[in-house]
């Protein structure tokens, strides 16, 4: 007996909120990408919990795809961050907006 | 409280604490290292919830590959201007309202959730062999699409990385 499914959802929701906070508040392209990673991870936690709750493996299968999407998102995102950095000399999204 | 429940709450505390520290660090390298701790905690949580293969994947891909990629980029860029305070006063009120609404909706969802969600979960384990066979038997199309996605991303990242030097060549 582990814990009620609700507690897993609470953990996932709080983790998602932390990621959202990071992505919205920080003025730094790298930190925004980190926030996205945290949000994807929170979704993965919810999926694994649901997989245990209904005793189906489809939730775990989805987590594999979440990890694949996270890896691809981060590689393209960091390539874009580097392109923006070479263009403006900073990782501040405001700077990118001004300098185009 | 069983041992597994205790482990769950301990791991949750570690994950939330290290993530909370990570997102407030000014130093990007520190943030990435704290996030590695958070992902290790998540991997252990996956193991606790009966997904050993996903726990291994989480350590290898999330804590390993993705975070190392972040560290590389953090080392390549040089942060000269210190960031402004995290939340300016003008944004404090909307942020608080958002947070309270989020918590209230979450609380409502929990109170009115079905009774089955309130009994402790039975522990079960999907062994890597069974899980792998299930994945390739039931979700083979999604696997193919994911591999195609990874190929597209490989080419896309190469292109984005190359474009700059092409543009710069005439200038220099």
């Amino acid at each position: 007996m582990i814990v009620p499914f609700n507690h897993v959802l609470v953990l996932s929701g709080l983790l998602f909120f932390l990621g959202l906070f990071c992505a919205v508040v920080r003025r730094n392209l790298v930190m925004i990408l980190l926030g996205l990673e945290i949000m994807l991870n929170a979704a993965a936690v919810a999926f694994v919990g649901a997989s245990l709750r209904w005793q189906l493996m489809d939730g775990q299968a989805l987590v594999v795809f979440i990890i694949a999407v996270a890896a691809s998102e981060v590689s393209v995102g960091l390539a874009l961050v580097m392109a923006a950095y070479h263009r403006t000399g900073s990782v501040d999204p405001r700077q990118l907006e001004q300098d185009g | 409280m069983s041992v597994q429940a205790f482990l769950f709450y301990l791991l949750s505390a570690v994950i939330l604490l290290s993530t909370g520290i990570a997102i407030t660090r000014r130093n990007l390298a520190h943030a990435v290292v704290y996030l590695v701790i958070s992902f290790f905690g998540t991997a252990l949580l996956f193991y606790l919830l009966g997904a050993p293969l996903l726990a291994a994947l989480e350590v290898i891909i999330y804590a390993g590959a993705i975070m190392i990629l972040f560290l590389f980029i953090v080392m390549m860029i040089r942060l000269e201007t210190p960031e402004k305070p995290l939340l300016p006063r003008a944004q404090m009120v909307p942020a608080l309202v958002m947070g309270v609404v989020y918590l209230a909706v979450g609380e409502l969802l929990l109170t009115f959730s079905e009774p089955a969600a309130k009994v402790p979960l039975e522990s079960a384990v999907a062994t890597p062999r069974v899980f792998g066979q299930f994945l390739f038997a039931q979700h083979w199309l999604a696997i193919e699409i994911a591999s195609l996605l990874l190929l597209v991303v490989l080419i896309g990242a190469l292109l984005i990385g190359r474009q700059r030097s092409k543009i710069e060549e005439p200038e220099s």
Side-chain angles (χ1 to χ4, degrees):
Chain A
M1 305 291 266
I2 310 176
V3 291
F5 180 52
N6 272 346
H7 295 199
V8 182
L9 281 185
V10 169
L11 170 67
S12 166
L14 287 177
L15 208 56
F16 191 90
F17 189 71
L18 285 178
L20 189 64
F21 180 86
C22 182
V24 170
V25 168
R26 297 298 299 258
R27 302 208 188 299
N28 186 325
L29 288 173
V30 178
M31 285 310 280
I32 291 173
L33 277 180
L34 274 183
L36 286 179
E37 289 302 308
I38 296 171
M39 286 194 274
L40 282 170
N41 197 42
V45 170
F47 269 118
V48 172
S51 165
L52 189 62
R53 155 87 171 75
W54 279 281
Q55 304 282 331
L56 288 173
M57 276 190 287
D58 297 78
Q60 295 190 15
L62 256 155
V63 175
V64 172
F65 302 125
I66 288 181
I67 291 177
V69 168
S72 37
E73 168 248 323
V74 86
S75 50
V76 169
L78 284 175
L80 284 172
V81 168
M82 281 315 285
Y85 177 70
H86 286 307
R87 206 156 165 171
T88 64
S90 115
V91 285
D92 189 343
R94 287 250 174 99
Q95 201 78 32
L96 193 66
E97 215 171 81
Q98 286 161 7
D99 298 353
Chain B
M1 192 160 65
S2 66
V3 181
Q4 285 166 321
F6 172 72
L7 278 177
F8 177 85
Y9 293 123
L10 188 71
L11 286 173
S12 314
V14 168
I15 292 169
L16 288 176
L17 209 70
S18 57
T19 310
I21 294 173
I23 65 174
T24 49
R25 288 303 95 177
R26 295 245 180 275
N27 189 329
L28 290 180
H30 292 180
V32 171
V33 172
Y34 275 113
L35 220 57
V36 169
I37 297 175
S38 162
F39 286 141
F40 269 119
T42 315
L44 288 175
L45 193 71
F46 284 175
Y47 197 81
L48 183 68
L49 294 178
L53 184 66
L54 291 179
L57 281 181
E58 178 93 2
V59 171
I60 295 169
I61 299 180
Y62 258 109
I66 293 180
M67 288 297 123
I68 294 299
L69 207 58
F70 269 108
L71 264 187
F72 269 130
I73 299 298
V74 168
M75 281 190 265
M76 280 164 83
I77 61 177
R78 148 183 70 82
L79 278 179
E80 58 301 309
T81 50
E83 268 187 87
K84 294 179 194 80
L86 276 185
L87 272 180
R89 277 188 191 285
Q91 289 177 7
M92 203 60 112
V93 176
L96 274 179
V97 170
M98 271 295 296
V100 167
V101 167
Y102 188 89
L103 285 181
V105 172
E107 176 60 34
L108 276 179
L109 280 177
L110 288 184
T111 12
F112 293 108
S113 61
E114 45 171 358
K118 288 172 184 163
V119 294
L121 295 165
E122 292 291 332
S123 58
V125 178
T127 56
R129 176 192 292 269
V130 172
F131 177 60
Q133 278 170 352
F134 169 79
L135 194 61
F136 277 91
Q138 301 290 318
H139 297 280
W140 56 271
L141 186 60
I143 294 268
E144 295 302 323
I145 294 171
S147 68
L148 195 64
L149 173 74
L150 288 173
L151 179 66
V152 169
V153 161
L154 179 69
I155 297 168
L158 272 176
L159 244 163
I160 294 168
R162 252 188 52 186
Q163 239 170 12
R164 197 188 88 74
S165 54
K166 250 189 194 169
I167 292 168
E168 270 222 340
E169 264 168 24
E171 289 175 354
S172 56

